[in-house]
Amino acid sequence: MSSVASFSADPVLSAALDRNLALDVARVTEAAAIAAARYMGRGDERAADLAATAAMREALTTVPMAGTITLGALADPDDGLFRLGEGVGNGTGLLIDVGVTPLEGATICAMGAPNATACMALARKGELLAVPPVYMEKIAVGPGVPEGCLSLDADPAENIRALAKVRGVPAEALLICVLDRPRNEALVDRVRSTGARITLISDGDVSGAVAVGLPETGVDMYMGSGGAAEGVLAAAGLRCLGGVLQGRLMVRGDSEKAAVRAAGITDPDRILTMADMVPGETMFAATGVTDGALLRGVRLHAGSARSSTLVMRSRTGTLRFIDTRHDLSKLSADR
């Protein structure tokens, strides 16, 4: 089990995320994706998740930052998984909050199905909302939607009609992404009542939400409930893309209420905006494990692998699509 560590760093250096971190972050998600891809279709999601976590942890040791895992981990995880408060990076440079999903879609990776990714987000210390492991209701759209146009308090059909008006198209032209879960069935019915099209995904709601910010995916809106940590990670990605995500925690029972209060969220029923979840500069990276709407999956060959990675920075709005061929005989943490 990994120990929990904390780092200190020069606060002047912590004022902005260094652009040179972009390639370091890409190497981290690439390592996790390649490790997970070795287990694609083998039916063992835990083995895939543990392999991705181990590879991500090792790759993080070389990143020049004083990072702390604040999102996407548990306070008391099983052996091998990331722990909340775990120190990552080489302990120098920037003070960073780190959100991780070494393998988003462990089940679909184990099945060999589409849309599994390895992803992570970085933000300055204190600027990545730490949410407990609860569900979150979400709505996300890409750039160009005026503030106040959409709301989680509105009926889903109203939100679709409002987006159609902004885009200047009929509702039937919109494509809405929804996580395929029984809890989202009523939402699916409301979406279909407008005539809008739906793409149902079996897992991977980080990439599903981030897809609304990339016109080439064809996805106009993400709606429905999924993991709260995944909601914040998606908000980090959409901040880089100029998109918008609203979230509201879905708290069930006293233990979840206590966890939300412990995280410093005094009103779990209020709508969380981008300013709540990622108020400052952020960096986001994702590498495909299996083929999806955003990225191609890892291709494994004899002695080599090929990966597809997206790295984004909110400060500049830069998107880097990185196609990398890896020599597996030389693959190590310094990559």
Side-chain angles (χ1 to χ4, degrees):
M1 182 177 293
S2 180
S3 61
V4 176
S6 61
F7 298 122
S8 61
D10 186 338
V12 175
L13 291 176
S14 301
L17 294 180
D18 192 325
R19 66 181 178 181
N20 293 327
L21 278 174
L23 287 178
D24 290 307
V25 171
R27 292 183 185 105
V28 171
T29 56
E30 286 170 356
I34 291 170
R38 298 178 188 276
Y39 291 87
M40 186 187 74
R42 293 187 176 183
D44 192 340
E45 58 188 80
R46 178 166 175 79
D49 204 6
L50 288 172
T53 302
M56 179 173 277
R57 179 181 282 119
E58 181 182 4
L60 278 166
T61 62
T62 66
V63 179
M65 66 178 181
T68 303
I69 301 292
T70 60
L71 187 70
L74 299 175
D76 188 21
D78 294 334
D79 287 350
L81 299 179
F82 279 114
R83 178 184 294 273
L84 283 177
E86 180 175 338
V88 293
N90 67 7
T92 65
L94 309 178
L95 288 170
I96 298 293
D97 282 351
V98 182
V100 294
T101 303
L103 178 56
E104 191 202 18
T107 300
I108 53 180
C109 176
M111 295 169 57
N115 221 36
T117 61
C119 58
M120 65 183 297
L122 306 183
R124 293 177 296 185
K125 186 174 178 61
E127 294 191 350
L128 196 62
L129 181 65
V131 291
V134 299
Y135 287 124
M136 177 187 281
E137 181 186 6
K138 310 164 196 175
I139 183 170
V141 292
V145 179
E147 186 176 353
C149 179
L150 309 176
S151 173
L152 282 175
D153 285 334
D155 182 87
E158 293 178 17
N159 283 323
I160 289 172
R161 286 190 284 266
L163 180 62
K165 184 176 181 180
V166 169
R167 299 297 191 212
V169 298
E172 291 81 358
L174 298 179
L175 180 62
I176 316 300
C177 182
V178 180
L179 190 63
D180 190 7
R181 295 289 187 275
R183 63 180 180 270
N184 287 327
E185 287 177 356
L187 169 64
V188 169
D189 290 339
R190 292 300 295 147
V191 172
R192 286 177 173 156
S193 73
T194 69
R197 299 169 298 142
I198 293 180
T199 178
L200 292 170
I201 56 174
S202 60
D203 212 333
D205 61 332
V206 175
S207 55
V210 171
V212 303
L214 296 164
E216 57 266 38
T217 68
V219 178
D220 297 289
M221 180 186 289
Y222 179 88
M223 303 176 80
S225 63
E230 287 79 3
V232 178
L233 282 168
L238 284 172
R239 185 170 182 83
C240 299
L241 292 167
V244 176
L245 185 146
Q246 292 181 7
R248 180 160 46 205
L249 300 180
M250 303 171 66
V251 181
R252 304 168 301 174
D254 292 339
S255 62
E256 289 191 355
K257 288 179 182 177
V260 169
R261 285 195 298 269
I265 302 171
T266 57
D267 181 7
D269 295 324
R270 74 183 179 91
I271 293 176
L272 298 170
T273 67
M274 301 279 278
D276 296 311
M277 291 183 274
V278 278
E281 184 185 352
T282 186
M283 186 179 290
F284 177 91
T287 300
V289 177
T290 60
D291 288 350
L294 282 181
L295 298 161
R296 290 185 65 191
V298 171
R299 300 294 192 264
L300 292 173
H301 308 286
S304 69
R306 189 170 182 175
S307 64
S308 175
T309 299
L310 169 62
V311 182
M312 305 185 288
R313 233 180 131 212
S314 66
R315 187 181 185 187
T316 59
T318 302
L319 282 68
R320 289 183 172 90
F321 287 92
I322 305 173
D323 188 333
T324 308
R325 190 178 299 276
H326 309 263
D327 183 340
L328 297 181
S329 68
K330 300 176 181 177
L331 195 63
S332 65
D334 61 7
R335 301 177 60 76

